[in-house]
Amino acid sequence: GWGARTRVPIVQGDYICRYTGELLTNQDAEKRGGDALTYLFDLDKEMPRNCETPFTIDARLYGNVSHFFNHSCDPNMAIWAVYINHLDPRLHELAFFAIRDIAPGEELTFDYSPHEPVATADPTPHKFVCHCGAATCRGFIF
């Protein structure tokens, strides 16, 4: 991916930005998911693990800098569900926060699959092989 780097020091716990884009139903997102270039992010942070996600954000056409953030198995940011003007768990916002201090010039990264095991012997059942280079790389993105 393109990647994004910070020009200023960021302190652990600092808010970085929200993931923005077009709000889609899960059905519409599934149709777009076959495109070669997608920036789909399911709004599943507050949903039980085995429930279908009703909404997805697509940042491809209407996103901000956050859709340039790359994956790392050893990230410097994490993403949290945040609520603005309502408490509907199906429609939370997605906000990035620093999980450690980040130096100027450092790439901003987060783990695309934070609930996956730390490492795996065989990444072949996964769709995307990871090339992050982290010592703790699990071998796949998702």
Side-chain angles (χ1 to χ4, degrees), residues 95-115:
F96 290 95
F97 290 87
I99 57 173
R100 63 170 175 77
D101 291 348
I102 306 171
E106 190 173 346
E107 183 176 9
L108 299 172
T109 60
F110 72 105
D111 189 342
Y112 289 7
S113 299
H115 301 295

Side-chain angles (χ1 to χ4, degrees), residues 34-84:
D35 293 345
L37 183 62
T38 63
Y39 296 95
L40 301 174
F41 207 123
D42 290 340
L43 295 181
D44 59 358
K45 291 287 191 189
E46 300 286 291
M47 302 296 292
R49 195 134 166 122
N50 294 328
C51 286
E52 185 173 312
T53 304
F55 297 104
T56 298
I57 294 176
D58 184 355
R60 184 177 58 176
L61 298 177
Y62 302 104
N64 61 7
V65 67
S66 67
H67 80 260
F68 294 115
F69 295 160
N70 284 324
H71 164 81
S72 175
C73 294
D74 184 21
N76 52 26
M77 299 184 302
I79 194 160
W80 275 274
V82 295
Y83 295 90
I84 302 169

Side-chain angles (χ1 to χ4, degrees), residues 24-35 40 42 52 56:
L24 304 175
T25 64
N26 189 345
Q27 294 79 15
D28 288 336
E30 289 296 322
K31 291 175 192 170
R32 287 191 192 177
D35 293 345
L40 301 174
D42 290 340
E52 185 173 312
T56 298

Side-chain angles (χ1 to χ4, degrees), residues 116 120 122-129 140-142:
E116 292 290 337
T120 183
D122 182 13
T124 54
H126 301 280
K127 190 172 181 180
F128 293 100
V129 174
F140 62 89
I141 296 174
F142 46 75

